[in-house]
Amino acid sequence: MQTTNQKNNFQAILNSTPLVLVDFYTEWCGPCKMMKPILEELHQEMGSKVRILKVDVDRNQQVAHTLGIRGVPTLILYKQGEIVWRQSGVVPVSSLRQLIHQHSAN
């Protein structure tokens, strides 16, 4: 998993990687802390099928504002730089796994 703090770096990653799951979070958010082990498990299982990127909305307010992030955690799946799925709240690893398989097959 990777954390990013720069808008240009963020966009470059989205455009250069086939599937990117972005976790918009804050350090103080309880549900965000619940997502951490879920994303770590997903990372272990999926390997190179998906790149997982964590974006702290307190440190990256411009990116969060541009994407309309109103609540955390918010997860967005990008495929070749385009949003293909978005959801706020804690998402189980089984749902994320199915989502990755669905979009990596297309």
Side-chain angles (χ1 to χ4, degrees):
M1 285 191 299
Q2 183 178 357
T3 303
T4 187
N5 288 321
Q6 297 175 347
K7 184 178 179 185
N8 292 340
N9 189 32
F10 176 72
Q11 195 60 51
I13 291 169
L14 297 181
N15 291 333
S16 68
T17 308
L19 279 180
V20 182
L21 179 64
V22 184
D23 173 27
F24 292 91
Y25 75 101
T26 62
E27 293 293 331
W28 49 265
C29 163
C32 298
K33 292 176 184 177
M34 293 170 60
M35 280 306 305
K36 185 176 181 180
I38 292 169
L39 294 173
E40 287 173 350
E41 181 179 341
L42 185 70
H43 177 68
Q44 291 295 322
E45 289 180 23
M46 294 289 124
S48 62
K49 286 186 179 183
V50 64
R51 186 168 187 177
I52 300 173
L53 187 63
K54 296 180 66 62
V55 177
D56 185 330
V57 297
D58 287 338
R59 294 182 183 166
N60 297 280
Q61 292 179 7
Q62 181 62 39
V63 172
H65 177 73
T66 300
L67 292 169
I69 304 299
R70 302 277 182 249
V72 287
T74 294
L75 298 168
I76 301 178
L77 182 65
Y78 290 85
K79 184 172 185 176
Q80 298 171 336
E82 299 292 324
I83 296 173
V84 294
W85 176 86
R86 177 180 177 144
Q87 185 170 324
S88 294
V90 176
V91 181
V93 72
S94 59
S95 297
L96 293 172
R97 187 182 310 117
Q98 180 179 9
L99 182 71
I100 302 305
H101 285 300
Q102 175 188 344
H103 287 284
S104 60
N106 294 340

